[in-house]
Amino acid sequence: MKVTLINNQSKIKLDLDLIKKVAEYISDKFDEDFKSELDIVFLEGKEIRKLNKKYRKVDRETDVLSFSYISDKDKIDMRTSSYTVGEVIICPEVAQSNILEQDENWNLNLEIILLIAHGILHIYNYDHQEEKNRMDMESIQDSLMSDIR
């Protein structure tokens, strides 16, 4: 899968080369089709807050939002077109603050990678609303993070 990073924030320095490499590894676990694409967008707090309010009706900053376009895949001729499976939108400011809740071995790169994995899982219809689903989703996230660490 092709991964495109779009960095529309300037407050937090990101290791985009590392993030892209790991995002490609994770996304290939879900879809190895070279015509599939995933966009990962980094936004400042005020911008992700607007999106969170518009799409989730929650008026606050959040660390990650996901938008899946997989249901549209059947409408595209995959022999001639590439296809965007979804977008993962991350706020590095919130990700940075999340690190304070983690152990001393945790860092911004690991937090961003965890958010990417979390977002991709949502794109592929995993959720964490019910306890069983949350446990399944966390198990997959933990497995992916173990592969990376």
Side-chain angles (χ1 to χ4, degrees):
M1 178 182 306
K2 179 184 174 195
V3 174
T4 301
L5 301 183
I6 302 164
N7 188 13
N8 286 339
Q9 62 86 44
S10 58
K11 292 184 178 180
I12 306 287
K13 182 166 175 30
L14 301 171
D15 185 343
L16 295 175
D17 291 334
L18 173 68
I19 291 168
K20 183 170 184 164
K21 182 178 177 181
V22 175
E24 288 172 341
Y25 172 81
I26 293 170
S27 63
D28 281 348
K29 296 283 188 184
F30 293 89
D31 190 341
E32 293 182 348
D33 187 341
F34 71 95
K35 290 188 174 185
S36 294
E37 298 179 5
L38 172 70
D39 294 334
I40 300 173
V41 182
F42 298 100
L43 294 179
E44 293 185 0
K46 63 183 178 181
E47 297 303 319
I48 204 163
R49 181 179 186 148
K50 288 178 192 175
L51 292 175
N52 202 23
K53 184 176 181 180
K54 179 176 181 177
Y55 292 103
R56 295 184 59 233
K57 310 294 187 241
V58 178
D59 189 13
R60 67 175 168 79
E61 294 177 3
T62 189
D63 49 8
V64 62
L65 293 170
S66 306
F67 298 93
S68 178
Y69 309 130
I70 291 178
S71 62
D72 297 334
K73 193 171 187 175
D74 297 335
K75 301 173 191 168
I76 297 172
D77 183 352
M78 292 302 289
R79 294 171 297 176
T80 59
S81 299
S82 62
Y83 171 73
T84 301
V85 297
E87 296 174 299
V88 176
I89 302 174
I90 295 173
C91 180
E93 294 168 79
V94 177
Q96 183 73 48
S97 69
N98 289 352
I99 295 170
L100 302 174
E101 301 169 18
Q102 303 296 333
D103 68 39
E104 61 192 39
N105 296 321
W106 202 250
N107 60 47
L108 182 61
N109 287 329
L110 290 171
E111 182 68 18
I112 295 287
I113 290 162
L114 176 65
L115 294 174
I116 289 169
H118 186 88
I120 290 171
L121 283 164
H122 278 305
I123 287 170
Y124 285 93
N125 296 316
Y126 289 87
D127 73 50
H128 44 79
Q129 298 304 314
E130 296 178 17
E131 182 67 16
K132 166 79 170 95
N133 295 341
R134 182 188 62 76
M135 290 173 55
D136 290 345
M137 192 169 173
E138 285 180 1
S139 175
I140 295 168
Q141 282 177 182
D142 290 347
S143 177
L144 290 168
M145 294 305 290
S146 291
D147 287 353
I148 293 161
R149 289 180 104 183

